[in-house]
């Protein structure tokens, strides 16, 4: 990890070390990937305003998210199949986040279970929830998260139906990997990954264990998940979740002002301006292009978080300058996880921290609270 200078270095290392199907799963967007590319391109077009002869020796990257003190305006976003990037990946990512002093968000579609992570880490984390057709299962997940001392529920609201990701179909993605010749050869070319997976706690979706009939069958799990995403999801479901969840509630997947206002009225404590990393509605606008107007509309009512395309501390600065309280990062830390497990995630977080600190210095900024539109050209 000592030679990893940026997130792209971690990405290249992860691509070498993780089987193709699982690397591509984290990497890809939906359909033609227009929105995936726009997330990055629109961030890169925003230029920063250089300032000189300002005393910036003392700089502070710390802030708060929903009243929780954090060392960096960053949280690790929910990522499915983290345990297929590296054995017990969710546990390792959570440990790295807690050591760094930032939140970790566990996905419903994780490999390790809520209880696995809670027992291994021993500190509160965030839990991401999908509202599925089986409302009893949804309630049970929320209750399990509360019992595990999860401080915050992140309700993802932009996955009523699944956007097609072509690479997953081409790769025949399954969990655990299907024993096809191409898959066997791919795994055989990554013996370190395979050896680690032999000692992993789980090989299938931990949060579904004991709930899906025939859970040892990849097809049974896949069929259950595919039929559980609920196209009838509406704001009454958000109000129901608010009524059964006693902690902080974040709505993830907000991409326009009207939905942001509705989220505030529904009792959300925060929203995440997000297009699911370009993995759902292809052709949707980039998140950074929508952030300013959403932040202006509801920033005094709920905390506004940002998600989509963050690969550097400069990107974090751009999002904060346009109204975000903090950023959720997904692929950036997943590359670290695939490249080096817990140490790789810690490296990804440290890269973002150092880049943000230097960017603050070169824009004449001493603290996160000072970051606003004045740092942009």
């Amino acid at each position: 990890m000592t030679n990893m200078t940026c997130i792209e270095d971690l990405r290249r290392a992860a691509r070498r070390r993780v089987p193709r199907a699982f690397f591509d799963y984290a990497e890809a967007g939906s359909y033609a990937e227009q929105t995936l590319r726009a997330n990055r391109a629109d961030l890169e077009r925003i230029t920063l305003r250089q300032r000189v002869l300002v005393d910036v020796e003392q700089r502070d990257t710390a802030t708060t998210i929903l009243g929780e003190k954090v060392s960096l305006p960053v949280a690790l976003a929910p990522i499915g199949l983290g345990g297929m990037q590296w054995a017990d990946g969710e546990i390792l990512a959570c440990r790295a986040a807690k050591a760094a002093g930032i939140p970790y968000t566990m996905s419903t579609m994780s490999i390790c279970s809520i209880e696995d992570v809670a027992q291994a880490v021993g500190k509160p984390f965030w839990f991401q929830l999908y509202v599925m057709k089986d409302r009893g299962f949804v309630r049970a997940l929320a209750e399990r998260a509360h019992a595990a001392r999860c401080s915050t529920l992140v309700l993802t609201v932009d996955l009523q139906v699944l956007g097609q990701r072509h690479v997953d179909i081409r790769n025949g993605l399954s969990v655990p990997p299907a024993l096809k010749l191409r898959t066997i050869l791919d795994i055989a070319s990554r013996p370190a990954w395979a050896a680690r997976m032999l000692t992993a706690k789980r090989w299938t979706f931990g949060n579904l264990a004991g709930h899906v009939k025939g859970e040892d069958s990849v097809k049974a799990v896949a069929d259950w998940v595919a039929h559980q995403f609920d196209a009838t999801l509406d704001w009454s479901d958000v109000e129901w979740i608010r009524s059964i969840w006693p902690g902080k509630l974040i709505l993830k997947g907000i991409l326009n002002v009207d939905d942001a206002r509705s989220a505030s009225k529904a009792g959300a404590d925060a929203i995440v301006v997000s297009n699911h990393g370009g993995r759902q509605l292809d052709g949707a606008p980039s998140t950074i292009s929508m952030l300013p107007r959403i932040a202006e509309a509801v920033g005094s009512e709920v905390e506004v978080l940002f998600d989509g395309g963050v690969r550097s501390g400069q990107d974090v600065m751009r999002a904060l300058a346009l109204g975000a309280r903090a950023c959720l990062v997904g692929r950036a830390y997943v590359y670290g996880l695939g490249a080096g497990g817990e140490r790789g995630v810690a490296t990804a977080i440290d890269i973002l921290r150092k880049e943000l600190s230097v960017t603050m210095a070169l824009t004449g900024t001493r603290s996160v609270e000072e970051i606003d539109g004045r740092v942009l050209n």
Side-chain angles (χ1 to χ4, degrees), residues 21-38:
F22 299 119
F23 178 84
D24 285 353
Y25 169 80
E27 173 94 333
S30 62
Y31 300 102
E33 300 187 333
Q34 294 174 353
T35 298
L36 174 72
R37 292 191 297 272

Side-chain angles (χ1 to χ4, degrees), residues 258-275:
D258 290 341
D259 286 343
R261 288 178 175 144
S262 296
S264 176
K265 292 177 183 177
D269 297 291
I271 60 172
V272 184
V273 179
S274 173
N275 53 31

Side-chain angles (χ1 to χ4, degrees), residues 17-146:
R17 297 168 187 174
V18 177
R20 178 178 177 177
F22 299 119
F23 178 84
D24 285 353
Y25 169 80
E27 173 94 333
S30 62
Y31 300 102
E33 300 187 333
Q34 294 174 353
T35 298
L36 174 72
R37 292 191 297 272
N39 279 348
R40 287 294 308 134
D42 289 355
L43 270 168
E44 290 174 342
R45 272 194 285 268
I46 299 170
T47 59
L48 301 167
R49 179 176 293 169
Q50 178 177 302
R51 297 299 304 275
V52 298
L53 299 177
V54 178
D55 183 353
V56 289
E57 182 177 9
Q58 300 298 323
R59 301 186 303 283
D60 187 5
T61 62
T63 186
T64 62
I65 305 175
L66 292 175
E68 180 181 346
K69 292 183 179 179
V70 294
S71 67
L72 186 68
V74 164
L76 300 192
I79 293 292
L81 310 189
M84 287 295 166
Q85 300 293 323
W86 194 282
D88 301 331
E90 292 88 4
I91 291 173
L92 302 183
C94 188
R95 283 177 176 163
K98 294 304 175 183
I102 64 174
Y104 165 76
T105 314
M106 182 182 188
S107 171
T108 289
M109 305 308 295
S110 59
I111 300 301
C112 292
S113 69
I114 298 170
E115 294 78 12
D116 291 338
V117 176
Q119 182 178 8
V121 179
K123 294 182 180 180
F125 52 92
W126 296 357
F127 181 69
Q128 176 270 332
L129 181 70
Y130 291 118
V131 178
M132 298 180 175
K133 291 179 181 177
D134 187 340
R135 296 297 197 268
F137 178 61
V138 173
R139 180 188 285 272
L141 275 178
E143 290 172 349
R144 288 167 61 187
H146 181 58

